[in-house]
């Protein structure tokens, strides 16, 4: 079970599935002070959109109102760039670092995404290593969860197979 915490019409935290629903609820309550209740209209719509995305629909979550708390301006820039990566696509930590201003900030980008208060809405699972490796996912389930979410969205991971990839190795012609 995923979890969502809100204040008014604004999402303040989300959780990907944990070991048990009670654990998810407990972590959200500890982090945000949230209590269980019926969500207001905008949050209910956000929840429906997240469910649709996790069921494989190409749902755009970039318009969901979020409060990033004390994330800081660097993290907020990172989150805005990550939110622009559409379902089924990926970007890299280095590409986001370049957009923020310096490719050498790739590690800082990873750290900001590791503290992402609203996974799914800020799709940190769509951000991969420069070599196409699935790295840096701090949610329960780690990289396997990241891969599962990318598979649901239909993302192409790794290089696309080439036309001649399955042919036997050729030998050098004799002279």
């Amino acid at each position: 079970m995923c979890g969502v915490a809100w204040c008014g019409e604004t999402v303040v935290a989300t959780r990907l599935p944990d070991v048990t629903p009670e654990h998810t609820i407990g972590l959200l309550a500890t982090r945000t002070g949230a209590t269980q209740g019926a969500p207001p209209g905008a949050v209910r719509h956000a929840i429906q959109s997240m469910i649709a995305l996790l069921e494989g629909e190409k749902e755009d979550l970039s318009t969901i109102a979020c409060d990033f708390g004390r994330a800081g301006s660097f993290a907020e820039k990172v989150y805005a760039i990550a939110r622009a990566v559409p379902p089924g696509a990926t970007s890299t930590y280095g590409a986001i670092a370049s957009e923020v201003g310096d490719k050498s900030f790739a590690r800082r980008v990873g750290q900001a995404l590791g503290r992402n208060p609203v996974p799914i809405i800020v799709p940190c699972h769509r951000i991969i290593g420069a070599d196409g490796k699935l790295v840096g996912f701090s949610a329960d389930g780690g990289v396997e969860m990241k891969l599962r979410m990318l598979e649901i969205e239909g993302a192409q991971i790794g290089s696309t197979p080439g036309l001649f990839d399955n042919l036997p190795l050729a030998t050098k012609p004799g002279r």
Side-chain angles (χ1 to χ4, degrees):
M1 174 180 94
C2 295
V4 178
W6 63 89
C7 181
E9 300 280 327
T10 303
V11 175
V12 297
T14 61
R15 284 289 300 176
L16 293 170
D18 289 298
V19 180
T20 65
E22 294 77 24
H23 188 69
T24 302
I25 293 165
L27 288 172
L28 279 174
T30 299
R31 194 167 96 207
T32 66
T35 58
Q36 291 186 25
V43 175
R44 191 171 38 257
H45 181 263
I47 292 168
Q48 291 166 345
S49 296
M50 286 185 272
I51 290 169
L53 178 74
L54 293 172
E55 289 178 344
E57 295 179 31
K58 299 290 186 192
E59 196 70 29
D60 178 13
L61 307 180
S62 66
T63 59
I64 295 172
C66 297
D67 179 351
F68 299 117
R70 298 182 202 143
S73 63
F74 180 83
E76 287 191 31
K77 289 176 190 172
V78 168
Y79 300 158
I81 294 166
R83 287 182 89 175
V85 178
T90 59
S91 186
T92 65
Y93 298 99
I96 291 177
S98 291
E99 280 193 63
V100 172
D102 188 334
K103 187 163 178 102
S104 70
F105 291 163
R107 177 168 267 124
R108 284 184 65 197
V109 168
Q111 291 168 344
L113 290 171
R115 292 185 307 270
N116 175 9
V118 289
I120 302 174
I121 297 172
V122 172
C124 48
H125 63 280
R126 296 180 192 150
I127 313 306
I128 61 176
D131 55 3
K133 287 189 178 180
L134 300 178
V135 296
F137 200 60
S138 58
D140 252 16
V143 173
E144 291 171 6
M145 174 70 81
K146 185 174 197 165
L147 178 59
R148 177 73 179 116
M149 292 175 74
L150 289 169
E151 286 174 343
I152 289 169
E153 293 181 2
Q156 172 67 44
I157 306 301
S159 60
T160 304
L163 181 60
F164 302 107
D165 284 354
N166 294 325
L167 293 179
L169 295 175
T171 58
K172 188 174 183 179
R175 295 197 176 168

